[in-house]
Amino acid sequence: MASLLLLLLALSAPGTSLFSPGSGRLLPYDLLYADGVRAYFARDWPRAAELLQRALHSYSQLLEARRGCQSRCREESGFVGPPVAPSWETRFFDRVLQRAECLGECLGRRLGSEPSLHRASREIQEDFEQREPYNYLQVALFQLKKLDEAVSAAHTFFVANPQHLQMREDMEKYQRMAGVKLESFRDLQATPYWEAYKTGVQQYNVDEYLQAAVKLEESLEEVLLALEDCRALCEGPQEDGTEEEMHPGLYEAIAAHYTQVLKCRQHCVLEVATKPGQVSATDDFIPSHLDLLQFAYDQVGNQALAAECAASYLLFYPSDELMLEKMKRYWVELGEGASITARENIQQYVQRSLMEKKLIYYAVEHLGGTFNDPDPWTPDELIPGSLKQKHRENQKKQRLENLDVGEQEQRGPFTFEGITVTVDSHQLNGSQRVVFDRVLTDSECKDILRLAKAAGSTEDGYRGRQSPHTPHERFEGLTVLKALQLAQDGTVNWRDAKLLLHASEKSRKIVESYFTPGKRLHFSFTHLVCRTAVEGDQDDRMDLSHPVHADNCLLDPEGKECWREPPAYVYRDYSGILYLNDDFHGGDLFFTELDAVTITAQVHPKCGRLVAFNSGGENPHGVWAVTRGRRCAIALWYTLSPEHAEQERMEAEDLMRQGDMEQEPSHTDVEEHMRADHSGASPEPPMPKGRARSTSRRRTSGSESGQPQKLRARDEF
């Protein structure tokens, strides 16, 4: 993104402004953004904050104008009414021209300028979709001492980018600051239906069915409105870089663009069903509303509404035996004269979706291209015979990426010969704590330490800086994706980078086998971390290398509570630390009671030792000060929720596979190296491919996105 920003900065030099401030015209958000970023790098914090906020407002107003105009022009210039010419072709293009004229006039009036002036590049659009302006804004607001606003901006960015390393550190700093209110951690772009859906499901799970039905109805109504908004935005200008080849012919061009619009509309269901920061959508989001509502209404005795929801659900899954049995019961209970029909808005939704799918599949079959159907309920007979195999492969791939408990149990147990359970929960005076030894050999530890040293010698932002927790130590961190990227560039050894990936995967399987057999543990975050004592600055140290905390809740030592709520990483379920060395002083891990003072257990690091524990309030922990030398370990966090799986890791796995094909004739050397000193251990199965999501724009820390200047600005935070 750095080159893009430099271009925008050059185009928006001081003194250049598209419109005068008092003209009443909406300034293009990309130019405001460019001016705001330029002011940011110039450390002009008041101007940066103002321009970034105006850019966000302009972007919001632009989307609102597009949605409003699409709705108005669909009604005023729809494809209905008496023919205006004898030729169908003339009639069609007459309507097309009327719609285009209506949209141009409406947008021009609402924006106060030519709509073409508000067309930003795809890179800038992605910045706003991923909430990148809030990343800059939170720093500017902090520098202006507007702490509550800075926290809200930071939280808004973090919700959509939970794997952003630098923002993780910033959020931890905000949590430790005096005067920061809990209510300041709010999402400024929160979507209302998610809160209603969450509340409804919670009430449903505790058998409060009447209250649950109210919230689920509210959520379903908002979801359907959000779908319409998303679909309206699909009708904007055609973007470059689509998967279909752009043909020069009139009808080919129309078909290609219209097919793109249809695909965009179809994938709107994934957009509205994906929480900010998640990597996958909630399965069957609309049918699940109807299923929950059906049961809730049945439990409170409203069989009429329960039957209506059941009939609506059957539009998606007409052969669902359980729902068909319920429908039979509703017919009996309501009487023969009862009229049970599906909801009209759901009927329209399904009919429209099926018609669009039919057109898309026809286009793919006859004109080329691909289509990843977002819906598991698409009828098999709708899919052309030549595309059914590909469709089944896509559906199978999606199921593998979201394995449920039953599918996990079919995999069977995984054995780890040679690895010992050195200390269990009872010996560690707690619950769900364990220490494994011999997870890595001495040579494997040395290879990963070599990787850390080689990465530390680069100019990529990995270089040691002051620890976020203590001024007496330097802190270095490397993600698996960054390691593979450095290996691809030839900066570090390819085999060492792969070893980091495999060592962390091996640790995941051990923790999964020990704590959650039959349940899939996903990576939430993986981080190779080194802490180095600052020479000559260690006398009479009273601080810790890492203060006492819990990994998925906010520790309250005075109240002896741990609150599992944002901004804590509430989706984390288990944590692990795989140690690489012991040639340093201090740095032991210790567990405490909820008071953060009473120590219950202590673990000394050494090569190949893996400490694993539940991430909740039952395991507050900290790290003693490192007073001499360099302590390195692989920090690991896991989640049972596939929607919170670490996206960067999936990209790293894809990168590793590509590198294997390009650089190495054999893909087994690292696995063999991992098993060299663990004879008899079962071979590791190949890791599943990452989700089918574009990796051309990775969401990483500032140092990895080509913006070292921005990272340095936040380092002063």
Side-chain angles (χ1 to χ4, degrees), residues 33-93:
Y33 183 38
D35 281 341
V37 172
R38 179 167 55 81
Y40 175 97
F41 286 126
R43 304 176 69 83
D44 185 351
W45 306 121
R47 180 168 171 77
E50 177 192 357
L51 288 169
L52 290 168
Q53 288 173 322
R54 289 175 62 190
L56 288 164
H57 177 72
S58 176
Y59 178 71
S60 174
Q61 292 295 106
L62 175 63
L63 296 185
E64 182 61 33
R66 285 178 176 170
R67 286 191 290 260
C69 289
Q70 290 288 357
S71 176
R72 173 195 155 188
C73 294
R74 186 164 49 246
E75 296 175 0
E76 294 184 6
S77 304
F79 291 87
V80 294
V84 295
S87 166
W88 71 266
E89 184 177 353
T90 306
R91 292 199 307 272
F92 173 76
F93 281 104

Side-chain angles (χ1 to χ4, degrees), residues 338-397:
S339 174
I340 301 177
T341 58
R343 295 184 174 187
E344 184 178 354
N345 60 349
I346 301 299
Q347 291 183 53
Q348 293 173 352
Y349 172 81
V350 172
Q351 292 170 359
R352 181 180 64 185
S353 183
L354 290 177
M355 178 58 69
E356 290 176 350
K357 291 178 190 292
K358 185 175 181 180
L359 292 172
I360 293 171
Y361 279 119
Y362 181 91
V364 171
E365 182 182 26
H366 297 283
L367 303 178
T370 60
F371 175 51
N372 291 324
D373 197 323
D375 297 311
W377 53 267
T378 301
D380 190 64
E381 60 269 18
L382 193 70
I383 305 167
S386 60
L387 301 178
K388 285 185 177 180
Q389 181 61 31
K390 181 64 176 177
H391 175 75
R392 283 192 289 266
E393 291 174 359
N394 289 337
Q395 293 292 313
K396 181 179 179 181
K397 179 180 178 181

Side-chain angles (χ1 to χ4, degrees), residues 96-121:
V96 169
L97 293 173
Q98 288 183 38
R99 178 74 68 88
E101 180 185 19
C102 177
L103 288 171
E105 181 275 330
C106 179
L107 285 172
R109 178 166 41 80
R110 295 188 63 163
L111 301 177
S113 60
E114 283 295 323
S116 60
L117 296 174
H118 295 265
R119 292 181 185 174
S121 68

